[in-house]
Amino acid sequence: MSIKKSFFYLSAVGIIAFQTQLPTMAEASASTKSNTNTHEIKAASEPYPGHVIKYGDRGSEVRKVQNQLNKNNVPIYVDGIFGPTTLKKVKEFQMRRHLKADGIVGPSTWTALYHTAFPYPGHVVKMGDKGINVTYIQARLNDAGGSIKIDGVFGRNTELKVKEFQKKFGMKVDGIVGPETWDILFNYEE
């Protein structure tokens, strides 16, 4: 189930406040902020260049890849050189997104790099937390097969579903939504 379906599901069960806090698609497409502490929905702003970007390449396309890695919580120095560090970081990103981890930026990796629907909020989300980040997490957990109440309160049931999700994807099972859990939760597709 896609995130769009989550939004529909949420509005169908009456969480209207959630709908009003999201930008319209026109606003989202026009958004050019790179602040990872905001919740913005972005479409890919750069079309795929039509050829793979790989180890040994240099130039503006490599800089685009490096910038997108940073926006996707894979920190890297932007120098326009696809060297050993960029290769390692691309593979790391591909593993997080459950793509073939070959270090080559082809169409799938390029698309995944530009899909930053819900950037990590910059802090862990855990038991006792409340708010829109918890609402997002609960909706995605339900997309992943959970059946929890979407109320914006990180309680025992939410923690249990986070632990189940972490176990399913081979992560540390602690019930806390940190960068790795957030990244996989908001970017995997079944």
Side-chain angles (χ1 to χ4, degrees):
M1 187 181 288
S2 71
I3 291 177
K4 284 184 182 179
K5 289 180 184 174
S6 296
F7 296 153
F8 177 76
Y9 174 76
L10 289 172
S11 63
V13 296
I15 302 178
I16 303 306
F18 183 73
Q19 274 186 316
T20 61
Q21 292 182 352
L22 294 173
T24 65
M25 289 311 288
E27 291 169 337
S29 295
S31 175
T32 57
K33 289 183 181 177
S34 63
N35 181 350
T36 58
N37 291 328
T38 62
H39 300 286
E40 55 191 54
I41 301 172
K42 286 186 171 182
S45 59
E46 285 289 327
Y48 179 65
H51 58 86
V52 298
I53 302 160
K54 62 189 182 324
Y55 186 82
D57 289 348
R58 293 173 175 259
S60 63
E61 290 173 348
V62 175
R63 277 192 291 282
K64 288 175 186 176
V65 168
Q66 292 167 331
N67 279 319
Q68 289 308 116
L69 286 168
N70 281 317
K71 289 178 182 178
N72 283 279
N73 300 312
V74 182
I76 186 168
Y77 179 73
V78 178
D79 61 3
I81 301 169
F82 202 129
T85 303
T86 301
L87 178 66
K88 177 183 172 191
K89 296 295 185 166
V90 168
K91 286 181 178 181
E92 178 184 333
F93 173 79
Q94 290 170 325
M95 286 189 297
R96 284 185 184 182
R97 296 294 176 94
H98 303 283
L99 298 167
K100 181 179 177 185
D102 58 6
I104 297 170
V105 181
S108 297
T109 301
W110 183 273
T111 300
L113 280 167
Y114 278 93
H115 177 257
T116 56
F118 291 100
Y120 181 63
H123 57 82
V124 298
V125 184
K126 62 188 181 329
M127 174 71 83
D129 288 349
K130 297 177 183 178
I132 196 69
N133 288 327
V134 178
T135 303
Y136 293 151
I137 290 166
Q138 290 169 330
R140 284 300 288 162
L141 288 169
N142 282 346
D143 286 347
S147 57
I148 55 177
K149 181 178 177 183
I150 300 173
D151 59 5
V153 178
F154 201 121
R156 293 264 178 239
N157 288 336
T158 301
E159 182 183 53
L160 178 64
K161 292 300 177 185
V162 168
K163 286 180 177 180
E164 288 174 9
F165 183 84
Q166 289 169 326
K167 183 177 181 181
K168 177 180 177 180
F169 284 92
M171 295 178 274
K172 178 181 176 186
V173 179
D174 58 9
I176 295 170
V177 181
E180 180 184 20
T181 301
W182 182 281
D183 189 51
I184 292 172
L185 182 63
F186 285 96
N187 294 297
Y188 90 99
E189 291 186 25
E190 285 193 22

